[in-house]
């Protein structure tokens, strides 16, 4: 195979090992569709002898991935380690400087260092491809860069994390607690068995939001502190009450332009149970784009796992093999805008509020008075007393108010000795 395209893979975890097997098995398909032969010349991971689902060729294994670049000089490098810094950043930078195309599903790396890495790729006239970094097998980035290239996108939102979507869906259907369902998700391989924190606290989805913002709005990846909340504090009680209200709870990633300013956030939302997004369940992801002139575009599919991720990685490979040398973020780094950031305090939303209180006279009126003092108007009220424990659950939905007002108000309400825990706040999506 004298004229083969030399390929290297750094990282042989669940995705990397699956990718390695796919590349071996689909060499003929790849040649048929691109006219190019490929050959895996080097692989690298922490352990050479780790038990893996697919057998690897230990003859091409390198303990030090730097040697793969310096000694083998591959044409294309797959980085599948997954760190935001460390060896991931080092190997990608070195590859780009050595005019090697890079393909990665590493959303943490791109969200943190994408601006600099893109400039490096452009300078050396090679590709930096990361389709698999957002929504697994859904071709959302290519849709924005190519399919909607002439549209003006104003808003992108959706379910960007399969782990959290599975947990919320399963809590609803099984009537089991967050802790019980998380354990099941870990057993099924939907959540990290050791530390699933980055899925649960919203960081995974937020890294994807930052990438979508940059592509959708032709802007630099922002580094502002943003609204990021996960699902760790969602109680089964909230799921059940939201159903009574004709709604469901979903963790949404949202980015939009408001009066020329960028507003990115990830947080649980109450959505109408008859809406499209309210019926995306299990480990599925869905991304919705609002743009002109096309209007609303919806993409849905499996967002995680080695199969969907490898599908996107191979899609990037075929694009490179066909000679599509292009800017990583669709336009040159020099033309990307640095957008002003929207003030979170001015964010207006209707809200779901849950208060756990002592069942004593006057509690309800005191809460209502404090809300009124901050111009927060109650739309709906459900009060459920528990006479055995002398406690009560008070749930309210409100008309629109600012983030600044509600946060200040809840801090004051929480100081009341009759309020047993910090009030639960879930924003109502509209």
């Amino acid at each position: 195979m004298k004229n083969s395209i030399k390929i290297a893979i750094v990282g042989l975890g669940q995705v990397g090992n699956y990718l390695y097997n796919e590349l071996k098995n689909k060499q003929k398909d790849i040649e048929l569709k691109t006219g190019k032969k490929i050959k895996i010349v080097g692989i690298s991971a922490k352990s050479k002898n780790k038990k893996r689902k697919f057998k690897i060729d230990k003859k091409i294994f390198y303990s030090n991935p730097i040697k793969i670049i310096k000694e083998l000089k591959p044409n294309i490098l797959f980085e599948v380690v997954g760190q935001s810094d460390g060896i991931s950043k080092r190997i990608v930078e070195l590859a780009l400087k050595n005019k090697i195309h890079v393909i990665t599903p590493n959303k943490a790396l791109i969200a943190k260092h994408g601006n600099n890495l893109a400039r490096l790729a452009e300078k050396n006239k090679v590709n930096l491809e990361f389709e698999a970094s957002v929504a697994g097998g859904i071709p959302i980035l290519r849709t924005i860069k190519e399919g909607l290239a002439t549209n003006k996108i104003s808003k992108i939102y959706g379910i960007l994390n399969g782990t959290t979507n599975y947990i919320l869906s399963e809590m609803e259907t099984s009537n089991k607690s967050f802790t019980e369902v998380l354990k099941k998700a870990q057993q099924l391989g939907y959540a990290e068995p050791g530390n699933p924190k980055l899925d649960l606290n919203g960081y995974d989805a937020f890294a994807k939001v930052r990438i979508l913002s940059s592509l959708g709005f032709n802007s630099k990846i922002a580094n502002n502190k943003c609204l990021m909340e996960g699902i760790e504090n969602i109680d089964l009680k909230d799921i059940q009450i939201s159903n009574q209200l004709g709604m469901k709870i979903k963790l949404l990633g949202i980015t939009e332009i408001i009066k020329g300013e960028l507003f990115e956030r990830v947080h649980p939302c109450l959505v109408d149970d008859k809406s499209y997004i309210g019926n995306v369940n299990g480990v599925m992801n869905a991304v919705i784009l609002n743009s002109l002139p096309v209007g609303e575009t919806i993409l849905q599919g499996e967002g995680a796992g080695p199969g969907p991720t490898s599908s996107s990685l191979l899609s990037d490979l075929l694009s490179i093999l066909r000679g599509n040398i292009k800017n990583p973020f669709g336009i040159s780094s020099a033309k990307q805008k640095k957008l002003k950031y929207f003030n979170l305090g001015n964010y207006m939303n209707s809200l779901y509020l849950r208060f756990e209180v002592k069942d004593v006279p006057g509690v309800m009126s005191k809460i209502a008075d404090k809300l009124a003092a901050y111009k927060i108007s109650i739309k709906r009220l459900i009060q459920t007393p528990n006479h055995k424990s002398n406690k009560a659950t008070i749930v309210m939905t409100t008309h629109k108010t600012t983030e600044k007002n509600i946060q200040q108000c809840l801090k004051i309400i929480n100081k009341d000795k009759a309020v047993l825990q910090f009030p639960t706040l879930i924003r109502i999506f509209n």
Side-chain angles (χ1 to χ4, degrees):
M1 297 175 77
K2 285 184 179 180
N3 298 317
S4 295
I5 301 295
K6 295 189 291 183
I7 288 176
I9 304 172
V10 176
L12 291 169
Q14 207 178 19
V15 172
N17 186 227
Y18 192 96
L19 171 68
Y20 171 81
N21 192 59
E22 287 284 281
L23 286 169
K24 281 178 62 184
N25 293 336
K26 293 186 175 177
Q27 289 187 18
K28 288 184 179 178
D29 284 347
I30 291 168
E31 184 180 353
L32 177 67
K33 292 177 179 179
T34 66
K36 303 282 176 64
K37 293 181 179 180
I38 63 166
K39 182 181 181 183
I40 303 172
V41 296
I43 56 178
S44 181
K46 276 185 179 180
S47 172
K48 184 177 183 178
N49 298 313
K50 175 185 173 182
K51 189 176 179 181
R52 294 180 169 90
K53 187 175 182 180
F54 302 108
K55 190 177 179 182
I56 61 170
D57 183 355
K58 293 181 181 179
K59 293 176 185 175
I60 59 170
F61 188 94
Y62 284 71
S63 297
N64 184 355
I66 302 298
K67 285 186 176 180
I68 290 179
I69 291 176
K70 292 185 175 178
E71 295 177 11
L72 300 178
K73 296 182 172 56
N75 304 105
I76 299 170
L77 173 82
F78 284 95
E79 182 280 318
V80 207
V81 178
Q83 299 174 3
S84 62
D85 292 283
I87 191 61
S88 291
K89 179 172 179 277
R90 190 178 172 199
I91 199 78
V92 169
E93 285 179 338
L94 188 62
L96 295 173
K97 286 175 183 176
N98 281 272
K99 302 187 186 304
I100 296 168
H101 300 290
V102 173
I103 302 172
T104 181
N106 190 341
K107 86 278 295 181
L109 176 74
I110 300 300
K112 188 172 183 180
H113 301 292
N115 292 333
N116 292 332
L117 294 176
R119 280 195 293 270
L120 204 52
E122 290 167 21
K123 180 181 176 182
N124 290 284
K125 295 182 172 57
V126 289
N127 282 35
L128 170 63
E129 298 286 349
F130 44 91
E131 179 65 61
S133 68
V134 179
I138 304 173
I140 181 63
L141 306 188
R142 192 158 282 119
T143 297
I144 295 172
K145 283 194 277 190
E146 297 174 13
L148 298 175
T150 60
N151 279 258
K152 186 176 180 62
I153 297 172
S154 57
K155 185 174 185 177
I156 306 171
Y157 68 95
I159 295 167
L160 301 175
N161 184 277
T163 301
T164 52
N165 201 46
Y166 169 79
I167 290 171
L168 293 171
S169 300
E170 186 66 14
M171 285 173 71
E172 182 183 359
T173 55
S174 70
N175 269 326
K176 291 182 178 176
S177 70
F178 174 85
T179 305
E180 289 176 292
V181 174
L182 172 59
K183 189 175 181 181
K184 183 180 177 182
Q186 290 172 315
Q187 290 169 347
L188 292 170
Y190 296 151
E192 287 288 333
N195 184 9
K197 182 181 176 182
L198 296 181
D199 287 320
L200 303 180
N201 69 6
Y203 178 80
D204 175 84
F206 192 72
K208 297 168 185 176
V209 164
R210 296 229 127 137
I211 295 168
L212 288 170
S213 295
S214 183
L215 281 159
F217 309 133
N218 296 319
S219 60
K220 302 281 186 191
I221 293 177
N223 58 5
N224 304 67
K225 187 177 179 182
C226 299
L227 175 55
M228 186 183 82
E229 293 176 6
I231 65 166
E232 307 103 310
N233 297 322
I234 299 296
D235 194 278
L236 179 59
K237 188 180 288 188
D238 298 310
I239 303 269
Q240 293 167 338
I241 295 169
S242 67
N243 286 343
Q244 291 176 35
L245 297 169
M247 306 184 98
K248 293 185 179 183
I249 300 174
K250 297 290 182 184
L251 183 75
L252 297 187
I254 308 163
T255 179
E256 63 184 318
I257 301 296
I258 300 176
K259 296 180 180 178
E261 296 177 344
L262 175 65
F263 188 29
E264 302 169 306
R265 67 262 192 207
V266 169
H267 54 74
C269 292
L270 262 74
V271 300
D272 191 303
D273 62 8
K274 294 182 179 63
S275 66
Y276 171 80
I277 205 77
N279 288 282
V280 178
N281 297 312
V283 294
M284 299 297 278
N285 280 196
V287 187
I288 300 172
L289 302 100
N290 294 337
S291 61
L292 290 173
V294 78
E296 188 174 78
T297 303
I298 300 173
L299 290 94
Q300 179 178 332
E302 294 219 14
T309 304
S310 291
S311 173
S312 285
L313 291 169
L314 291 177
S315 172
D316 283 342
L317 173 64
L318 264 62
S319 179
I320 292 171
L321 293 178
R322 287 168 176 154
N324 297 327
I325 308 300
K326 53 188 181 291
N327 297 318
F329 287 93
I331 63 171
S332 73
S333 297
K335 292 183 179 178
Q336 285 180 303
K337 300 169 287 188
K338 187 171 183 180
L339 293 172
K340 188 177 178 184
Y341 213 77
F342 181 77
N343 185 339
L344 173 60
N346 295 332
Y347 178 31
M348 290 197 74
N349 235 84
S350 300
L351 308 168
Y352 162 102
L353 302 172
R354 176 169 60 84
F355 303 90
E356 298 297 328
V357 301
K358 293 177 183 176
D359 191 8
V360 293
V363 176
M364 176 66 232
S365 61
K366 283 198 284 186
I367 291 173
D369 287 346
K370 288 183 175 69
L371 290 169
Y374 280 88
K375 300 179 181 177
I376 300 166
S377 173
I378 300 169
K379 187 175 183 180
R380 189 169 177 179
L381 173 67
I382 303 172
Q383 189 168 2
T384 311
N386 184 335
H387 298 299
K388 288 182 181 179
S389 62
N390 291 319
K391 295 176 184 178
T393 298
I394 299 170
V395 170
M396 301 173 181
T397 59
T398 75
H399 293 281
K400 284 191 175 184
T401 187
T402 65
E403 189 74 16
K404 181 181 177 182
N405 280 6
I406 188 60
Q407 294 297 346
Q408 289 179 345
C409 183
L410 291 184
K411 284 177 184 176
I412 291 172
I413 289 173
N414 189 55
K415 291 177 182 177
D416 192 313
K417 290 180 181 178
V419 176
L420 300 171
Q421 64 185 51
F422 197 89
T424 296
L425 180 159
I426 305 175
R427 297 160 188 87
I428 298 174
F429 182 74
N430 46 39

